[in-house]
Amino acid sequence: MKKNTKRFLIILPLLLLFCLSMKSSTGINEPKKKEFLITKYGAVADGTTINTLAIQKAIDLATKRKNGGIVVFPKGRFLSGSIVLKDNVELFFEEGAVLLGSTNPSDYHKINFEGRPSSPKKDDNSQLALILANKANHIKLSGKGTIDGQGLKLALAVDSLHHAGITIDPNYNTRRNRPNETMRPKLFRFSQCNDVVIEDLNVGAASCWGLSFELCSNLTIDGLTIVNRSYWNNDGIDITDCKNVKIINCDVDAADDGICLKSYYPGHFNDSIYIANCTIRSSASAIKFGTASYGGFKNVTIEDIKVFDTFRSAVAIQTVDGGFIENVSINNIEAVNTGNAFFIRLGHRDGETPGSVKNVTIKNIKVQVPFGRPDINYDLRGPEVNFFHNPFSSAIVGIPGHKVENVTIENIEIEFPGGAFKGMAYVPLSRLDAVPEVIKGSPEFSMFGEYPAYGLYVRHAAGITLKNIQFTLAKSDFRPAFVFDDVTDITMEKINLPKLSQGQIILKDSEKTTLDDGAAGLVQKY
């Protein structure tokens, strides 16, 4: 036998093995997942028949198959209470398919979220939901249909049960005349799940938070339209102590925070979070870290975001319960009619020791701040600030002995309304200590009351770099553009302000400043 023929006979089996492995890796040899049409298991598309058992039966059968299955919702309106999603199951909604949440509170139940670490906050948010999942792997929701929680009717039903003495809410909010959020079901409640994909659906109208995920990994949320403004505590998306999360191409309209990163579990934290190409409208903050902040937030990238008609901050970066915030990159934000451009806060509301905020970069943002409430036309508006104030500036604020560190703000344009009036609220520059520390306060951009600056207020910070900053005023403002109080290592370059005059940059107990000639000419020390 010739030498080349021998070589071919040796190589041939290896080639066959390679081809077989390639087919397997590309899914060519994988059997097609079986479809489970919910109407075959008794589901009725009339919008009034409760279909919980039929839908759950389809899910349970699908998860028993070796490679899982696809539970199909055909065109029609399917009413249901709580359903539990399980391993290797996809819920697919055909065009025109609608999953309606029941308006009867008794149709919702909790599941045993076993294996969760303990949290100082315990269960202070609802464990009820229309779609539940715990330790479920390789799950998906997709299609062109709708998931509608019917949240207003459901919340009012919960409220009625309380007042009728049937199901008493021990934490009923008498001031705001509503049941506590623990009593009201969310739309989704996923815990400790891995490899989750949710895409292309219309979802929302929950009685509480919308899409809630905790301790999950490898989560993708892509192309959703989320309208969650039926009732109070209507966040759009909540991500708690998750890893490898991608939220892209979503349109979020929320009565509370739009996209909210939370941390309930000490020793756990959000890691590798990517949020991009989303449009957000919110009666609270568009994108927020906290307020629950026990573990932390690390390696977060936010880019290409449009914000409009948002009451509080376009971006709020906050830790007040001992957690850390580290390596945050924000780029290309456009916000119109928004109460505050950005708010960065390190406080000490809870936890043994304060946390930390370091290495935050905010670049290429353009924000327009109005004089009045940006959410005035909402049906449901967030609580109004209960004190007189002039328009709020952006802020970076730590606490005594614990500074926010290494923040870079670059290529920023903020249009402020001006119109500040000393008779409305006034903090003289000679009394900057009058600005309260509020060390244990719940973090909000309004927590310090009146700001002594119209543009940016910085207190208890180190390593603040400001480059190519442009502030404009629709009307004059008696306050300076910048106030720095107990800040070290300040760098300022290319500062463009409406009035290039002395006293636009105020330094109090601040040192190690590197200012270009333009900025240096605007400084006044106290």
Side-chain angles (χ1 to χ4, degrees), residues 9 53 55 182 200 233 256 296 309 325 340 367 372 395 419 522:
L9 291 174
L53 294 179
I55 297 169
T182 60
D200 300 332
N233 310 109
D256 209 318
D309 296 352
I325 295 176
N340 175 261
V367 180
L522 303 174

Side-chain angles (χ1 to χ4, degrees), residues 232 255 283 311 373 375-384:
W232 298 95
S283 193
F311 176 43
R373 282 194 67 137
D375 62 345
I376 194 64
N377 292 321
Y378 283 47
D379 293 330
L380 183 69
R381 294 177 295 279
E384 178 61 278

Side-chain angles (χ1 to χ4, degrees), residues 249-323:
N249 308 317
C250 291
D251 190 329
V252 181
D253 187 349
D256 209 318
D257 297 314
I259 299 175
C260 190
L261 307 182
K262 299 177 181 290
S263 181
Y264 276 89
Y265 303 103
H268 297 262
F269 55 92
N270 290 285
D271 186 9
S272 302
I273 311 295
Y274 181 68
I275 303 170
N277 195 34
C278 294
T279 299
I280 305 172
R281 178 180 187 257
S282 165
S283 193
S285 292
I287 297 177
K288 187 173 84 172
F289 294 57
T291 59
S293 44
Y294 288 90
F297 314 84
K298 185 177 183 180
N299 304 322
V300 180
T301 299
I302 301 167
E303 60 186 9
D304 302 327
I305 305 295
K306 292 185 178 180
V307 177
F308 68 102
D309 296 352
T310 290
F311 176 43
R312 294 179 180 155
S313 302
V315 179
I317 302 172
Q318 309 162 148
T319 178
V320 295
D321 300 317

Side-chain angles (χ1 to χ4, degrees), residues 387-392 420-421 424-427 435-436 446 448-453 478-479:
F387 57 86
F388 292 119
H389 63 88
N390 286 301
F392 293 111
F421 176 57
M424 175 65 71
Y426 182 45
V427 178
V435 179
S446 57
F448 305 109
E450 176 74 358
Y451 282 98
F478 67 85
R479 299 171 296 179

Side-chain angles (χ1 to χ4, degrees), residues 34 36 41 54-66 68-69 71 86 89:
K34 182 178 178 180
F36 295 79
Y41 301 94
I55 297 169
Q56 192 63 57
K57 184 177 181 180
I59 292 171
D60 293 345
L61 288 172
T63 194
K64 289 178 181 178
R65 290 184 63 86
K66 184 177 180 180
V71 174
K86 299 181 180 180
V89 173

